[in-house]
Amino acid sequence: MAKSDAVVATTAQTVQAGPAKAAAAKAQAADPVIGLGAGFDFDKLMGWAQTQGLKLLAALAILLIGLWIAKRLSRALERVMTRANMEVTLRGFLRNIAYAVMVVVVAVAALQALGVPTTSVLAVLGAAGLAIGLALKDSLSNIASGVMLIVLRPFRAGDYVQAAGVEGTVEQIRVFQTRLRTIDNRVIVLPNSLITTAVIVNFTANPKRRIDLTVGVGYDDDLRVAKDTLLALAGAHPKVLKDPAPEVLVTALAESSVNLELRAWAKTGDLVHTKSDLVEAIRNDLIGKGLNIPYPQRDLHVYHHDADGRPIGEVLTKAVADDGDVAAAGAKPKS
């Protein structure tokens, strides 16, 4: 009986130790570093190191070669945009964007070669991009507007424009902002999103512009003489273009004058000074030929009333009658 009990106990210990030994062997097979003191397997360790080393070398090679290719492709893209006469600002912006996208693709490929799950990496990148986009929505709006300004080209550097309610000469068109300089030498920096959402007026987009001058003459003046005078002044000015030819139109019968409009063309750069010369010459020549340049007139009729509302004339008449200078109405003469 004692011997059979010992056999049963030994069998039970063997059964209980079996799962533990199997788990330890499985863990040692998964990680050869386990059991360095007792069952260290040098061959498995070398195999693991060789496998991981090859993955690391492959990932490093993908990273280095990918960065080199990304740099070459970004430079090639810039050369293509240069041949297409694209703006310098847009070239640099698109080149940087393309290079950044290629770097991200290379980094993901290197992590995948290393054995890192790329699904989680892409999910993290997507969440980070969404958070950054929400935080920088105004800046991204300015970037999008800057790209639109550079691509659509409503104005260029050196143009005189009116944008977002201000006027000035365009100095720089950047991705985030546009820099203007006013006539009195002030610098105005406008966010691009304000420019694209407002009316843009480009005063220097075309090589020539028309000068419109409204001139009023009196109703008694000879309109033919006035029109010939205006046309002669415009034709004699050296900076007024012959084609299109100047013209004078009768535009309105105003309250105090008959309005004529002189239309003359000049080069865009000569517009301001030519207009000033014509205004001065028109004033002097019209007066010299006896024509009138009327100004608005008003006739005022003033009525004075007494405190009780009666006209002051009635009060004065009654006062004279009371003094005996004027006979009262209906009074009989003395006999």
Side-chain angles (χ1 to χ4, degrees):
M1 293 294 295
K3 186 176 180 180
S4 63
D5 292 339
V7 172
V8 171
T10 303
T11 304
Q13 291 177 358
T14 303
V15 172
Q16 293 177 358
K21 289 182 179 180
K26 185 177 180 180
Q28 185 175 0
D31 190 354
V33 180
I34 298 177
L36 288 177
F40 177 71
D41 193 340
F42 184 78
D43 294 335
K44 290 183 179 180
L45 178 61
M46 290 301 297
W48 177 85
Q50 185 177 4
T51 303
Q52 298 300 323
L54 291 177
K55 290 183 179 180
L56 183 61
L57 290 176
L60 185 60
I62 291 175
L63 184 62
L64 294 177
I65 297 174
L67 292 178
W68 180 79
I69 295 175
K71 185 177 294 185
R72 295 294 297 270
L73 289 178
S74 62
R75 291 177 179 175
L77 178 62
E78 185 177 11
R79 288 194 295 270
V80 171
M81 292 186 292
T82 303
R83 294 192 188 98
N85 295 324
M86 195 171 291
E87 293 286 344
V88 177
T89 307
L90 182 60
R91 292 205 306 262
F93 177 73
L94 294 180
R95 183 195 63 187
N96 293 334
I97 291 295
Y99 181 73
V101 171
M102 287 185 287
V103 167
V104 171
V105 172
V106 170
V108 171
L111 290 176
Q112 187 174 7
L114 196 58
V116 177
T118 56
T119 304
S120 58
V121 175
L122 294 177
V124 171
L125 290 177
L130 178 61
I132 294 174
L134 292 176
L136 301 176
K137 60 179 182 178
D138 294 334
S139 298
L140 294 177
S141 176
N142 288 328
I143 292 175
S145 300
V147 173
M148 291 176 58
L149 290 177
I150 296 172
V151 173
L152 299 179
R153 297 182 181 180
F155 52 80
R156 301 184 181 185
D159 290 346
Y160 187 83
V161 301
Q162 181 185 45
V166 297
E167 292 184 9
T169 303
V170 180
E171 287 193 338
Q172 289 180 333
I173 306 173
R174 301 175 180 174
V175 177
F176 288 94
Q177 300 167 332
T178 297
R179 182 186 177 100
L180 303 180
R181 184 175 296 276
T182 62
I183 296 177
D184 55 353
N185 207 30
R186 292 179 297 151
V187 175
I188 300 177
V189 180
L190 293 174
N192 290 331
S193 59
L194 293 181
I195 298 176
T196 55
T197 56
V199 177
I200 301 174
V201 181
N202 192 335
F203 296 99
T204 55
N206 296 318
K208 57 185 179 182
R209 287 178 56 192
R210 195 179 72 183
I211 301 173
D212 296 337
L213 292 177
T214 300
V215 181
V217 296
Y219 274 91
D220 297 332
D221 294 333
D222 190 342
L223 294 182
R224 174 55 56 188
V225 174
K227 294 175 68 175
D228 292 342
T229 301
L230 296 179
L231 288 175
L233 290 174
H237 197 285
K239 293 185 178 179
V240 173
L241 300 178
K242 306 302 180 183
D243 186 21
E247 61 178 349
V248 178
L249 303 176
V250 180
T251 57
L253 299 175
E255 294 180 357
S256 304
S257 64
V258 178
N259 291 340
L260 308 177
E261 185 175 83
L262 171 63
R263 298 177 178 178
W265 290 83
K267 292 182 179 180
T268 301
D270 300 332
L271 181 73
V272 176
H273 295 289
T274 303
K275 184 176 182 179
S276 176
D277 294 341
L278 288 177
V279 171
E280 182 179 356
I282 289 171
R283 185 264 180 192
N284 296 334
D285 215 46
L286 288 182
I287 294 177
K289 291 189 176 182
L291 299 174
N292 296 317
I293 302 179
Y295 48 87
Q297 299 180 6
R298 295 290 185 271
D299 293 333
L300 300 179
H301 302 274
V302 181
Y303 297 92
H304 296 280
H305 294 275
D306 195 15
D308 57 357
R310 292 180 300 167
I312 194 67
E314 181 182 343
V315 175
L316 293 176
T317 303
K318 187 176 184 302
V320 172
D322 290 343
D323 290 340
D325 295 334
V326 179
K332 295 179 179 182
K334 295 181 180 180
S335 56

